Amino acid sequence: MLRGNSPFALAALANVYELTRRYDKAIETYDRIPKESPLQKAIEIRKAVNMNLLDQVDAAKTLLDRIAAEQPDDIRPLVTLGDIMRAHKRHAEAVEYYTRVIALTPKPESRHWVYWYARGTSYERLKKWAQAEADLQRALKLAPDQPLILNYLGYSWIDQN
């Protein structure tokens, strides 16, 4: 663990760079971790998050799309893509990624509410109220006391008269 080339030590160092907002150094450090590391997929997702924070959105998207293609049953790159696209107001793309996440969630549990919430807010921004309301209500069924859902749905109902 104390070796300078240990994947865990390098991941910890990259995390320190992230905490200090030195995203370029975090990416460089992640790149030093051997590709055969069991941490590789998580590392690549972290790299993409850092690229996004450096306004390299398309590079982050390319990396995450590759990971998603290599691991079609893994929702992590898709959730990250949806979140990045939504943060950059690319709501139509966000809807596509969240839809893929939801398709990979055959037995939704309360912890999955966020996928419907995120897609619902994206639909609302696209002025597709029927789809937005359906997703927000599905999120509410999964997490009935979640204040984010209650607030968004309540204010949206007011906006929709």
Side-chain angles (χ1 to χ4, degrees):
M1 289 296 289
L2 296 177
R3 291 183 322 215
N5 63 349
S6 162
F8 295 103
L10 289 168
L13 177 59
N15 184 257
V16 170
Y17 284 132
E18 290 173 341
L19 292 172
T20 58
R21 299 176 188 223
R22 297 172 65 190
Y23 308 117
D24 56 336
K25 297 295 284 180
I27 293 169
E28 288 174 20
T29 305
Y30 283 132
D31 283 339
R32 291 175 44 203
I33 297 173
K35 300 294 181 217
E36 65 276 359
S37 165
L39 304 173
Q40 192 57 38
K41 292 301 174 209
I43 287 165
E44 289 181 338
I45 291 170
R46 290 303 314 157
K47 281 173 47 178
V49 168
N50 284 287
M51 289 173 179
N52 175 57
L53 293 167
L54 290 169
D55 279 331
Q56 299 171 3
V57 179
D58 290 330
K61 183 178 184 294
T62 298
L63 176 57
L64 291 166
D65 277 331
R66 180 181 57 77
I67 297 167
E70 291 171 359
Q71 302 286 322
D73 294 332
D74 189 347
I75 65 170
R76 294 174 304 163
L78 299 172
V79 170
T80 306
L81 277 161
D83 292 347
I84 289 172
M85 295 301 109
R86 189 165 57 113
H88 288 279
K89 299 182 183 352
R90 292 165 63 170
H91 298 291
E93 291 172 271
V95 163
E96 291 176 30
Y97 289 115
Y98 293 130
T99 298
R100 289 172 61 188
V101 169
I102 289 167
L104 291 171
T105 312
K107 294 182 181 177
E109 300 172 14
S110 61
R111 64 188 169 100
H112 298 125
W113 68 269
V114 71
Y115 308 146
W116 279 269
Y117 172 81
R119 189 174 71 174
T121 61
S122 295
Y123 273 136
E124 188 271 333
R125 296 295 175 177
L126 292 168
K127 309 258 187 267
K128 295 183 176 184
W129 176 242
Q131 294 100 317
E133 184 178 31
D135 275 355
L136 292 167
Q137 288 192 354
R138 178 64 190 266
L140 191 61
K141 284 182 184 174
L142 292 170
D145 296 323
Q146 176 48 248
L148 288 173
I149 305 166
L150 293 166
N151 187 59
Y152 205 99
L153 193 53
Y155 278 106
S156 294
W157 280 334
I158 292 168
D159 288 343
Q160 298 296 321
N161 292 317

